[in-house]
Amino acid sequence: MVARACGCSKSTVSRAISGKGRISEELKTRILQYCEKSGYRTDVAKRFLQTLRTKNLLVLLPPDQELSEIPFFFNCIMGICEGAQKAGYSILLMTGGSSEVQELRTILEQKKADGVILLRVRVHDLVIEYLQDQELPFLVIGNSQKYSVQYVDNDTERACEALTIYLLQKNLSNMALIGGNREHIVTWKRLKGFQVGHAICNKKVNQNQIYLDCNTKDVVYEVTENILRGSADCIVCMDDRICYQVLEKLHKMNVVVGRDIEVASFYDSRFLRGYSDSITTLQFDEKSLGLMVCEKLISRIEKGIYESKMFTGYRIIPKNQAKR
């Protein structure tokens, strides 16, 4: 069975398991990995595979300009580091960019990591496509319909749906939505939650008041002006960075949040700490999410357990309610 599955002779399998005789390291590793997964002579397979492990996990971060703006990634990394330390692993960090596939290939060819964690999923993700061709375990934060991969994810769509319903039940009728990069899967999940929330409340989404790719302060400022000209009664922001910039612009325009217009954010962080009395937000437990990601990846590396998980740790923080 093992010989047939690995495309080699029974004698080759015997040499791999016994450690005697000539056999390439690549084939030996493949045979013993199969043995471990199938339960055949797992004692021998585990002992050998443990000697090949670096006890390093590679965490791929988004580009510098995104990483510096969003506390979500920092909190996730704290959870990942905690999980790694408990299991005796170390963390390697790599920042993504235009050449991230080549840089990732270099690290993996040098066998510097036992597994990879991706902190962001794109609609067309070259890193995922590359890793799917490798035998190295990897896991992503944020699942995608296009890519069938192991993931751990916040229940982002359901959370955004719940917040949208909460706002619509306050008799808001013309809600605007400002979002970020349409190449990010999370952008489409937040949009879907916003749309489903409207459908559940039998409300129509004002398509003229949906703005995506608002990736700079200037664009957010311009969009905020357009929204006010469209007589919106609420501005929903997809993340904390956008929300903070919207609040800045409204202040410059002498528009009072809570009196002249409502503001809400699909993600809460320290950026919004000074506005807790005037806006409604979603709060997630990113550190627990990072810890879960790390535990799932290590379980896959050491035990061959392949399991995805949807993490439901979120809550709505209404305005006029102390958050911290």
Side-chain angles (χ1 to χ4, degrees):
M1 177 181 70
V2 178
R4 183 168 59 253
C6 296
C8 61
S9 66
K10 292 181 181 180
S11 61
T12 301
V13 173
S14 178
R15 289 197 298 273
I17 293 174
S18 67
K20 300 176 181 179
R22 299 183 64 180
I23 179 174
S24 70
E25 286 298 313
E26 180 183 358
L27 182 54
K28 184 177 182 180
T29 300
R30 180 150 52 89
I31 292 170
L32 291 178
Q33 283 177 334
Y34 179 83
C35 288
E36 184 184 34
K37 291 178 182 178
S38 64
Y40 178 78
R41 294 298 302 275
T42 55
D43 55 336
V44 175
K46 285 182 178 178
R47 283 200 303 271
F48 174 75
L49 293 173
Q50 284 172 355
T51 65
L52 296 180
R53 290 180 185 143
T54 65
K55 303 293 281 189
N56 291 332
L57 302 178
L58 176 64
V59 178
L60 183 60
L61 310 175
D64 290 336
Q65 68 273 17
E66 297 177 19
L67 183 63
S68 63
E69 294 175 344
I70 305 179
F72 171 86
F73 300 112
F74 173 80
N75 295 330
C76 277
I77 291 170
M78 292 297 292
I80 292 170
C81 289
E82 181 178 315
Q85 185 175 16
K86 286 180 181 178
Y89 281 74
S90 298
I91 297 297
L92 305 176
L93 297 178
M94 187 184 106
T95 302
S98 58
S99 60
E100 60 188 355
V101 172
Q102 181 56 48
E103 293 172 1
L104 180 61
R105 180 183 291 112
T106 299
I107 291 175
L108 298 188
E109 287 177 350
Q110 294 174 356
K111 302 187 184 301
K112 291 184 177 180
D114 299 328
V116 180
I117 295 173
L118 308 184
L119 294 189
R120 169 165 283 169
V121 183
R122 297 184 180 90
V123 175
H124 303 288
D125 204 306
L126 297 178
V127 172
I128 288 181
E129 292 173 3
Y130 167 71
L131 286 172
Q132 284 181 322
D133 292 333
Q134 310 305 306
E135 295 184 353
L136 194 74
F138 74 97
L139 191 145
V140 303
I141 291 182
N143 62 328
S144 166
Q145 292 182 347
K146 179 178 179 180
Y147 300 104
S148 178
V149 297
Q150 186 182 3
Y151 68 89
V152 173
D153 192 18
N154 280 319
D155 199 352
T156 304
E157 185 177 321
R158 184 71 60 87
C160 294
E161 172 191 315
L163 179 54
T164 301
I165 292 171
Y166 172 83
L167 294 169
L168 289 171
Q169 288 175 342
K170 297 176 66 177
N171 295 320
L172 298 169
S173 59
N174 186 16
M175 292 169 57
L177 180 67
I178 306 180
N181 196 328
R182 67 179 66 234
E183 277 297 307
H184 298 158
I185 292 293
V186 69
T187 299
W188 295 104
K189 288 184 179 180
R190 288 166 173 160
L191 176 59
K192 182 70 178 296
F194 184 77
Q195 294 169 330
V196 171
H198 275 76
I200 290 174
C201 294
N202 293 316
K203 301 281 189 179
K204 287 190 66 175
V205 175
N206 186 346
Q207 299 296 334
N208 294 325
Q209 292 280 46
I210 293 181
Y211 299 87
L212 300 182
D213 289 326
C214 300
N215 300 318
T216 66
K217 179 185 287 190
D218 289 343
V219 172
V220 173
Y221 276 18
E222 180 182 352
V223 163
T224 302
E225 292 178 357
N226 291 340
I227 288 172
L228 292 177
R229 283 195 289 268
S231 302
D233 50 20
C234 181
I235 301 176
V236 180
C237 308
M238 284 196 181
D239 63 50
D240 52 339
R241 174 190 62 81
I242 291 173
C243 189
Y244 181 76
Q245 292 168 354
V246 166
L247 292 167
E248 277 188 328
K249 180 60 176 176
L250 293 176
H251 178 71
K252 292 176 184 292
M253 298 175 69
N254 295 317
V255 175
V256 178
V257 176
R259 185 194 70 187
D260 302 326
I261 194 168
E262 297 287 336
V263 176
S265 176
F266 281 158
Y267 178 70
D268 173 52
S269 79
R270 60 181 172 81
F271 282 146
L272 307 179
R273 190 167 296 172
Y275 297 95
S276 59
D277 290 338
S278 58
I279 62 174
T280 299
T281 61
L282 278 175
Q283 192 175 79
F284 296 93
D285 187 352
E286 305 95 345
K287 184 176 179 181
S288 294
L289 180 69
L291 177 60
M292 186 182 297
V293 167
C294 187
E295 290 174 344
K296 294 294 182 186
L297 181 58
I298 292 173
S299 178
R300 180 174 173 183
I301 292 169
E302 297 187 348
K303 302 176 183 178
I305 298 175
Y306 186 105
E307 178 189 16
S308 294
K309 179 73 174 180
M310 187 67 76
F311 185 61
T312 58
Y314 69 84
R315 64 192 183 109
I316 297 173
I317 310 295
K319 70 175 184 177
N320 301 320
Q321 186 177 109
K323 301 183 198 176
R324 300 170 178 86

